[in-house]
Amino acid sequence: MIQIKQMFINNNNRPRTPLKPQGIVLHETATPGATAQNEYKYFSVPNRKASAHAFVDWNEIIQIIPWNEKAWHAGPTANSKFIGIELCHAITKEQFEKVWQNAVELFAWLFINILKQTKVTKDNLMSHAEVSAKWKETNHTDPIAYFKAFGKTVDD
């Protein structure tokens, strides 16, 4: 059973705007070795002007914004439609495999319990790179290089 630790931030990095999520945007933190707890602490400081719903590392999943509220993670269009999940940047293959497994379990749980969807498509599970290419509101390419370093792709 997946365990999601809820540690909601209460500052201006949490917009408190309602969200009816249609899918998930997949990100990676780009901070090698930083844990979900490290990311929570970073976003607990006001004025970051960014956020995500949850962080997944090799040991735990920390949710910092409720699933039914917007987070600032991928530009205005994606933010108003998608849950943003950040995968912590593992250093070792072993860490990466644990992050991957935790993310797969979280995504399955979100699709069934929050999104109420049973089919994953290119329209309801997108990388930040795909969102950037589609709506051109950001220029991020994550998690393409991160996954490639460990022999994976977003389609995997």
Side-chain angles (χ1 to χ4, degrees), residues 3-148:
Q3 296 289 320
I4 303 168
K5 188 183 296 184
Q6 292 181 328
M7 298 173 64
F8 297 141
I9 58 174
N10 288 304
N11 59 37
N12 63 355
N13 299 325
R14 179 178 169 187
R16 291 180 172 77
T17 306
L19 172 68
K20 289 186 180 182
Q22 301 169 18
I24 299 170
V25 174
L26 170 62
H27 304 268
E28 72 101 352
T29 60
T31 48
T35 64
Q37 189 69 232
N38 295 136
E39 298 297 339
Y40 165 75
K41 288 176 184 174
Y42 177 84
F43 286 98
S44 293
V45 174
N47 303 316
R48 297 291 185 201
K49 298 183 181 174
S51 54
H53 287 89
F55 296 91
V56 179
D57 73 17
W58 41 94
N59 293 315
E60 66 183 343
I61 298 167
I62 297 178
Q63 180 187 6
I64 70 168
I65 293 182
W67 308 124
N68 64 351
E69 289 183 20
K70 282 185 187 179
W72 294 321
H73 59 95
T77 302
N79 293 349
S80 66
K81 296 179 179 192
F82 295 92
I83 290 170
I85 304 295
E86 290 270 358
L87 304 187
C88 292
H89 193 108
I91 296 173
T92 67
K93 178 77 169 168
E94 180 183 48
Q95 283 179 337
F96 178 81
E97 291 300 330
K98 288 180 182 176
V99 171
W100 186 272
Q101 185 59 43
N102 288 343
V104 167
E105 289 179 25
L106 175 61
F107 292 171
W109 185 88
L110 286 169
F111 269 89
I112 292 166
N113 296 287
I114 303 300
L115 301 173
K116 309 293 186 197
Q117 298 179 36
T118 57
K119 186 174 182 182
V120 177
T121 70
K122 289 197 175 275
D123 293 322
N124 65 15
L125 179 58
M126 301 175 76
S127 69
H128 197 165
E130 291 167 325
V131 166
S132 293
K134 184 171 184 169
W135 289 299
K136 300 181 184 356
E137 296 171 342
T138 67
N139 62 0
H140 295 239
T141 60
D142 62 297
I144 307 303
Y146 175 51
F147 282 6
K148 185 176 182 180

